[in-house]
């Protein structure tokens, strides 16, 4: 009698578990906009969620430790004039987040370490270049201040956030709505999916399509694609019979899939979340109440089903914590932030281990917060792998670092519209010395405010130290 040989894998027994009720984030009016983005972005310091807001678009930013019921007057980030469709934290600065909106703009925000008293309404920089709504944003994985945006004008734009400049515009590559865009590990290539049913691999600096595949999944519904660590492409889509399907492809030989597996019949587009350290891909469908996860290896059948985390409530969106934000002492290998209608529920994925020691086989060195390149180095053709850090002693987030935007365009220094007209009426009221007194007072007040904000930040950090000391 032949015995079935069970595949060896340290991730075979990974299981998901929701946190206790008091560790959830309650009373959040999650956005009801119809758009297939995750509506949630998270890093080791903050949780950001796109929320409902009257007249314009907004998202809420909560310190990760601020669990429980969210005050209905909690400040929001409100600068867009139409709904926010996508948000993404900068991988190299935990206090900087970008937002894309139906108002055709992308805005980049600096979030303070303390909870502000009022709404944050002034972005550090506004990026204008799209002619229709912007539904996708994604930071470059290794180059400082490089941000990608994709709009419903079928245009992909790369920006230097540090100068507010457009670096590259990828025009005439997509003939229809772009569904998603993903970077490879060192940010030298992009993969995109599009309503024209093509998956494209693009070299953005050469503005060239390196490889493309028509209809990797035969169904009409949206396809998603991401790069794996090895440079393969993992896709989710639908069969002609509306079965959900996943695929693994080698862009050097795009015709034949490495793997193609049917899954189930459901309408929700599957959002893939990939952890390159463990080669596990987690699939979350909007409207589903489960997370399926698979391990990608170099032995057949290449995409191995591990397990499904199931719950009763459907998910409206999902956030995925970067590796450096996980609790290594509990063998946590992923943490999701599941959006319900009125709350956000963290879900922890754990590898069961008996030992309390650091499990170095579960935690290889992982990308840290330092960029490997400057924006102009990357643009000139340089590539660099992410700068890795060890998680052996856990990761401690760094203090707030200010994002400085240095505008190069001389036109940005022009007087605001209408200022010439006002000047003539004001000249009689203000003599030069009086004007200087006012400016001096404004300067002094600004310095006072900054000093007070720094004092608040210092006191809150002390408070955190006390709290950590009592844990």
């Amino acid at each position: 009698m032949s015995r079935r040989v069970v595949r060896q894998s340290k991730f075979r027994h990974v299981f998901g578990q929701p946190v206790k009720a008091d560790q959830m984030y309650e009373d959040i009016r999650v956005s009801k906009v119809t758009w297939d983005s995750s509506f949630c972005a998270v890093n080791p310091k903050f949780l950001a969620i796109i929320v409902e807001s009257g007249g314009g678009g907004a998202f809420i930013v909560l310190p990760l430790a601020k669990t429980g019921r969210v005050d209905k007057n909690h400040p929001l980030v409100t600068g867009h004039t139409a709904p926010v469709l996508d948000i993404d934290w900068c991988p190299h600065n935990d206090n900087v987040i970008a937002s894309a909106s139906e108002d055709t703009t992308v805005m980049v925000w600096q979030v303070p370490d303390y909870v502000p008293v009022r709404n944050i309404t002034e972005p550090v920089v506004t990026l204008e270049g799209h002619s229709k709504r912007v539904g996708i944003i994604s930071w470059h994985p290794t180059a400082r201040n490089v941000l990608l945006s994709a709009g419903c004008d079928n245009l992909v734009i790369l920006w230097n956030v540090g100068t507010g400049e457009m670096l590259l515009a990828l025009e005439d590559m997509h003939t229809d709505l772009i569904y998603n865009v993903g970077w490879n590990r060192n940010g030298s290539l992009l993969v995109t999916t599009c309503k024209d049913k093509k998956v494209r691999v693009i070299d953005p600096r050469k503005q060239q399509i390196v490889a493309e595949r028509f209809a990797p999944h035969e169904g009409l519904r949206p396809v998603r694609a991401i790069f794996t660590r090895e440079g393969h492409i993992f896709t989710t889509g639908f069969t002609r019979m509306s079965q959900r399907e996943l695929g693994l492809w080698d862009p050097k030989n795009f015709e034949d899939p490495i793997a193609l597996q049917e899954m189930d019949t459901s309408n929700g587009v599957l959002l893939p979340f990939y952890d390159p350290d463990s080669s596990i891909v987690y699939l979350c469908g909007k409207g589903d109440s489960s997370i399926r996860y698979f391990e990608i290896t170099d032995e057949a059948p290449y995409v191995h089903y591990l397990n499904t985390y199931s719950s009763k409530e459907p998910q409206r969106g999902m956030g995925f914590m970067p590796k450096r934000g996980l609790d290594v002492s509990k063998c946590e290998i992923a943490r999701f932030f599941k959006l319900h209608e009125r709350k956000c529920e963290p879900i922890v994925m754990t590898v069961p281990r008996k030992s309390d020691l650091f499990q170095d086989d579960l935690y290889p060195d992982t990308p840290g917060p330092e960029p490997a390149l400057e924006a102009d180095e990357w643009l000139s053709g340089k590539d660099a792998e992410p700068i890795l850090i060890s998680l052996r002693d856990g990761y401690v987030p760094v203090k707030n670092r200010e994002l400085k935007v240095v505008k190069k365009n001389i036109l940005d220094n022009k007087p605001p519209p209408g200022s010439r007209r006002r000047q003539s009426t004001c000249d009689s009221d203000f003599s030069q010395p009086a004007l200087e007194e006012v400016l001096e007072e404004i300067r002094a007040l600004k310095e006072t405010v900054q000093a007070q904000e720094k004092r608040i930040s210092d006191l809150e950090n002390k408070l955190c130290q006390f709290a950590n000391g009592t844990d």
Side-chain angles (χ1 to χ4, degrees):
M1 207 170 92
S2 65
R3 271 178 69 218
R4 188 161 162 259
V5 177
V6 176
R7 187 180 69 91
Q8 288 296 308
S9 167
K10 54 188 170 235
F11 301 115
R12 259 181 55 219
H13 301 293
V14 170
F15 67 98
Q17 219 172 10
V19 297
K20 294 189 175 76
D22 62 347
Q23 292 175 303
M24 297 183 193
Y25 306 83
E26 307 264 2
D27 262 5
I28 298 165
R29 294 168 57 222
V30 176
S31 173
K32 293 188 172 74
V33 172
T34 311
W35 189 254
D36 280 329
S37 77
S38 58
F39 283 17
C40 179
V42 61
N43 70 21
K45 286 169 106 167
F46 299 107
L47 166 67
I49 299 167
I50 303 174
V51 293
E52 285 284 283
S53 76
F59 58 97
I60 192 167
V61 175
L62 300 168
L64 217 53
K66 200 168 175 51
T67 53
R69 194 172 296 281
V70 176
D71 186 331
K72 67 177 188 298
N73 298 318
H74 191 285
L76 303 176
V77 182
T78 58
H80 288 286
T81 56
V84 176
L85 299 177
D86 199 12
I87 47 178
D88 195 26
W89 286 106
C90 175
H92 308 126
N93 187 333
D94 286 340
N95 293 74
V96 170
I97 187 168
S99 58
S101 165
E102 273 187 24
D103 67 10
T104 75
T105 68
V106 173
M107 292 182 177
V108 180
W109 309 86
Q110 180 99 29
V111 178
D113 281 335
Y114 56 88
V115 177
V117 183
R118 288 181 295 278
N119 286 352
I120 300 176
T121 56
E122 290 297 317
V124 181
V125 66
T126 301
L127 307 171
E128 295 174 301
H130 289 282
S131 59
K132 291 187 179 172
R133 62 185 179 167
V134 188
I136 298 165
I137 40 173
S138 180
W139 292 91
H140 191 285
T142 63
R144 189 196 308 273
N145 290 343
V146 175
L147 178 66
L148 173 151
S149 63
C152 295
D153 48 9
N154 311 340
L155 189 62
V156 176
I157 299 178
L158 294 161
W159 306 90
N160 180 347
V161 171
T163 60
E165 289 179 301
M166 189 188 293
L167 295 176
L168 298 163
L170 307 180
E171 298 178 86
D172 307 324
M173 287 193 178
H174 300 89
T175 61
D176 211 328
L177 179 69
I178 299 165
Y179 286 140
N180 92 298
V181 183
W183 294 97
N184 68 347
R185 187 168 168 82
N186 69 359
S188 59
L189 295 173
L190 298 170
V191 62
T192 68
T193 61
C194 180
K195 199 173 180 180
D196 64 12
K197 298 186 77 172
K198 285 184 179 177
V199 172
R200 296 170 173 85
V201 177
I202 297 169
D203 183 328
R205 289 166 298 189
K206 290 184 180 161
Q207 307 211 4
Q208 267 178 5
I209 296 170
V210 181
E212 65 182 7
R213 171 76 160 81
F214 179 73
H217 304 282
E218 292 181 344
L220 295 173
R221 291 187 52 69
V223 170
R224 294 270 159 162
I226 53 170
F227 271 107
T228 69
R229 187 179 178 138
E230 289 72 30
H232 293 147
I233 287 166
F234 179 89
T235 58
T236 64
F238 294 79
T239 67
R240 201 171 283 162
M241 305 301 291
S242 293
Q243 288 270 102
R244 291 201 290 200
E245 191 173 48
L246 60 82
L248 187 64
W249 312 80
D250 182 350
K252 294 187 179 73
N253 174 24
F254 233 151
E255 281 315 297
D256 301 314
I258 299 169
L260 198 61
Q261 295 178 20
E262 285 185 15
M263 288 168 54
D264 60 359
T265 308
S266 181
N267 307 345
V269 174
L270 284 167
L271 307 180
F273 296 93
Y274 176 65
D275 172 20
D277 297 344
S278 61
S279 284
I280 295 178
V281 64
Y282 302 85
L283 303 183
C284 309
K286 269 201 162 181
D288 285 13
S289 51
S290 61
I291 303 170
R292 287 183 185 77
Y293 39 107
F294 299 79
E295 186 179 358
I296 299 173
T297 71
D298 52 8
E299 49 185 87
Y302 307 107
V303 181
H304 306 267
Y305 171 74
L306 289 172
N307 212 334
T308 300
Y309 164 81
S310 296
S311 63
K312 292 192 178 79
E313 298 287 321
Q315 52 231 16
R316 298 277 296 269
M318 197 66 86
F320 186 53
M321 176 66 82
K323 211 55 177 279
R324 58 197 171 88
L326 302 180
D327 187 345
V328 296
S329 67
K330 297 197 169 90
C331 295
E332 180 184 5
I333 60 159
R335 192 186 313 157
F336 288 92
F337 288 75
K338 173 180 170 176
L339 300 187
H340 299 245
E341 209 166 309
R342 300 280 307 196
K343 70 176 179 186
C344 175
E345 173 189 35
I347 294 163
V348 175
M349 296 285 179
T350 308
V351 176
R353 292 270 168 105
K354 288 192 172 73
S355 170
D356 289 340
L357 299 173
F358 177 71
Q359 307 290 308
D360 47 13
D361 63 324
L362 297 183
Y363 300 105
D365 288 358
T366 196
E370 284 305 312
L373 291 170
E374 297 300 325
D376 48 0
E377 290 180 298
W378 178 78
L379 188 64
S380 70
K382 270 194 184 170
D383 288 322
E385 293 299 310
I387 295 175
L388 305 180
I389 57 169
S390 167
L391 297 178
R392 179 171 290 277
D393 301 315
Y395 172 76
V396 180
V398 291
K399 293 285 286 289
N400 189 351
R401 292 182 299 187
E402 191 182 352
L403 168 64
K404 287 190 169 58
V405 177
V406 182
K407 296 273 176 111
K408 290 184 178 171
N409 191 341
I410 196 158
L411 294 175
D412 288 330
N413 299 327
K414 66 184 179 189
S419 60
R420 197 172 294 149
R421 190 183 70 245
R422 283 201 302 275
Q423 207 172 351
S424 57
T425 57
C426 294
D427 279 351
S428 55
D429 300 344
F430 276 127
S431 64
Q432 195 61 31
L435 182 65
E436 278 175 4
E437 275 175 34
V438 170
L439 288 171
E440 186 52 49
E441 190 173 349
I442 288 171
R443 258 197 300 274
L445 283 169
K446 276 187 174 171
E447 278 175 17
T448 308
V449 169
Q450 281 171 343
Q452 301 286 25
E453 287 187 342
K454 186 178 182 313
R455 180 74 183 132
I456 290 169
S457 186
D458 291 344
L459 288 169
E460 286 190 332
N461 287 330
K462 272 190 185 159
L463 204 60
C464 285
Q465 284 166 8
F466 285 133
N468 292 340
T470 56
D471 284 353

